[in-house]
Structure formats: structure tokens, C-alpha cells
Amino acid sequence: MLHVFLKNKLVSADAIVPVLLDGRRQGFTDEIRFYVQSPKTMKALKENSILWSALNQLGDVLLAVPESRQLGAILRHRLFALWWLPRLALSVIFGQAKIIHFGQLYSSAVYRILVSLRKSSVMVVEGAFAGFSETQTTFAKLKVDRSSTFDLSRVKNIAVFEGDSELAKKVRHRGRTPIVIGKPHNLSGWIDFLDERCADVFPEDHKEIFSIILGTFGKLDFFPAENTAEKLLTQTIDILLERGQGRPIYIKPHVITDRDELERILSKYADAPILITDLHPSILAKRAVFTLANYYSTVLSTVHGNNGITVEYTHYSEKALQLSNGRSMRDDSVTHFIQNDPEALRVLVSQLCSKADKNCADIERGSTPDELMRWIVG
């Protein structure tokens, strides 16, 4: 059995699910169980119909924490844990079971003991399927209380998505060689899965759309003010409505997006063609003139890697811009970067709409690396 511990961001599910779907295509038949570490994450996964369908096609999904802080929920969880946790430990220590996680298990004493007992049965996968660029790592340091990454000395098996990511460099610096997965959303198993499910998800008249990818409305260390994210979203919507020639705007919230705040922001656009959607960004990109985010999102890497147009319209602080040399924190995944210039966005929208006659081009298909498949199957 394969046990997969997801992080509290959907990006971990979005990263590993394509790999496992491709494994199924290649003949991997073992049972898979996914562990979710937050009720909020579980709710977000269920709302994301594509990911939820994929998870349940691959195996079963277990909430590994209490569903609430109420005493009854805590007691139910502890009784349930007495059933699954010993079985998990015994199957890893004495059986053929394996664990995939994203480094987070090293922060828990119980899990740290478990994954240390049989390191050969544990695979740590990089937490972002686009890797972390040097600038992203630098941006992260703007948050002074940011915790450090896990200790690589604890890890026997490690897989990264990009061979030149910062984590890959650290692993090689220690004289080791990580498994390089490549772009998970270009794997044949994932593409086939999407093709089966993307039909008929759009209204007939939504041939071309705008796709906006959200993050948090809270304070971000690389923004100049606490309400910057809200201002950027409002500016973006106003410009798309002004220059978009009636094309509908699909807004994709993140698990960290405050839905109540989003509803409040959108309340003044009651009659506008704006939809809040939980469709997977890869499906949205098939109809999108472009995919836009108000600060870098790994979604932009996915869309860009699938030959879609990506726009980062943002307002970074002066300190952040100095760190990024006036560009995106992930310049290789952003087709157009605009820093706090509404007029430049207006011009760009008009230009792209005038030649929007195709969706994402055909994706160059890949397959899961043999080394990783041998570890999963072996």
C-alpha cells in the first residue's frame, strides 16, 4: 500500500496526483491512501471537482486530524487514530507499504519516529511542482519568522520536479542525486484524465474566457500595504470588463482565499459576467485568452508549461522589486509582467483580445521517470 501525506496547500495534491495517475497508466495497481492534515484543506479538495475525482479514483482520502475543536470530534478522531495509525506503522516497518510526503512530517514527533524507522520506504517530494527559484527563496526571506526547511540528513529518497530548483541544488551539494520528475501536468496519465472530464464544463457561449487565479487577501510581506491584494483584484476586474469585449471572467479561489471577502468584493459587480469557479486551472486554460494572477502562483507555471499565456499584474514593494530586479519572482513562467501600471494592463488586454483565436496548444506529453516508478512499485 502507498500512503501519501498531503500538505495543507492544494499544490501538493496537484503535484502528486498526475504522477500517480501516470503510474496507474503504467500498471501500478497497489492501494493508495491519501492523508489530509486540515479540515479546511479537505473542504477545498472536495470543492475542486477534478482533484477530488482523481484522488478517489486513485484510492481513499482520510482526514488525519479532528474535524473540529469540539470535544466529541477530538474523541472520535483519537479512537479512529487508534485503528489506522498502528496499522500504518506496522505496514511500513514490517510490510511493503511506503510513504510519500512533502517534508512536513518531520515537524511531528510521532511521524518523525515513523519515517525514521525505515527510511528506504519513505519518499520526500518537493513541495512545489515548479520548484522554487532563487528569487522565490529570496522573497520568502522577507518573512522574518519563516521556519527553515527540513534537515536533508533525515532523508534517504527525495524527488524534485525541476532539476535546477534550489532544493535540487542543495541535494546535489550534499553529494546526492535527486529523482527529477519534470512537469507533472504534462504527464500522459494526467492529460488523459483531464480529456475525459473537461467536456461540457463550460456554457456553450463561453468560447473564450479570462481566468484569474487568487491567493490571499491578507497581509503579504512583498506588498506595500495590507489591502494591496484587494485593490489589485478590483483594478483587474474593472479593466477586463472595460476592454474584454464581454468575455466572461472566471475567478479561481485558492484554499487560503477568504470566500466571504471575495463575495464582498464582487458584490458591486452583480450584473457582470463574473463566475467564481472551482474548475482546475488546466481546464480553465483551455478556454482562457490568458491566465492572470496578482502575485506569482504555481498555476502560472502549469499554464505556461502548457503553452498558455500568463500575466502577472501586481504591485510589489520597492524592497521586493530590488530583490527580483524589477521582474516576477518566477520570470520563466510569466509571459507578461506588469508592475502597478493599469494603463499597461489595458493595452495588453486589448492586444491579446484582438488575436485570441486559440486555446492552449497541444501539450508535449511526458511519463513518470523509471527510477521513481521502480521505487513506487518495488
Side-chain angles (χ1 to χ4, degrees), residues 252-320:
K252 175 73 172 71
H254 192 281
V255 65
I256 60 176
T257 303
D258 186 327
R259 295 279 185 132
D260 292 336
E261 183 70 5
L262 177 59
E263 293 283 0
R264 182 190 66 77
I265 294 169
L266 297 182
S267 61
K268 72 174 185 176
Y269 301 104
D271 298 323
I274 299 175
L275 300 87
I276 299 175
T277 181
D278 288 304
L279 287 173
H280 194 278
S282 294
I283 288 181
L284 294 176
K286 290 180 178 291
R287 294 286 180 94
V289 177
F290 55 78
T291 299
L292 182 147
N294 291 135
Y295 63 92
Y296 175 75
S297 164
T298 51
V299 170
L300 298 183
S301 294
T302 297
V303 176
H304 193 271
N306 292 350
N307 302 321
I309 296 173
T310 57
V311 178
E312 186 175 347
Y313 176 66
T314 190
H315 185 184
Y316 290 139
S317 67
E318 287 301 318
K319 184 175 181 180

Side-chain angles (χ1 to χ4, degrees), residues 35 70 84 87 135 151 164 210 245 253 261 297 319 323 353:
Y35 299 83
Q70 295 180 352
W84 64 263
R87 285 167 172 76
T135 307
D151 183 356
D164 60 351
F210 299 114
Q245 303 171 12
E261 183 70 5
S297 164
K319 184 175 181 180
L323 294 174
C353 285

Side-chain angles (χ1 to χ4, degrees), residues 132-151:
F132 288 99
S133 69
E134 184 176 352
T135 307
Q136 279 177 280
T137 304
T138 305
F139 264 48
K141 293 177 183 175
L142 289 170
K143 188 173 183 179
V144 295
D145 61 345
R146 182 178 177 86
S147 58
S148 59
T149 186
F150 55 87
D151 183 356

Side-chain angles (χ1 to χ4, degrees), residues 59-101:
D60 62 324
V61 187
L62 183 151
L63 181 62
V65 295
E67 60 187 13
S68 73
R69 295 184 178 181
Q70 295 180 352
L71 179 60
I74 294 173
L75 291 174
R76 284 194 299 273
H77 164 70
R78 288 182 177 175
L79 287 172
F80 186 40
L82 288 175
W83 173 78
W84 64 263
L85 190 53
R87 285 167 172 76
L88 167 64
L90 291 172
S91 66
V92 172
I93 298 169
F94 299 109
Q96 298 299 314
K98 295 184 176 178
I99 291 176
I100 288 178
H101 69 106

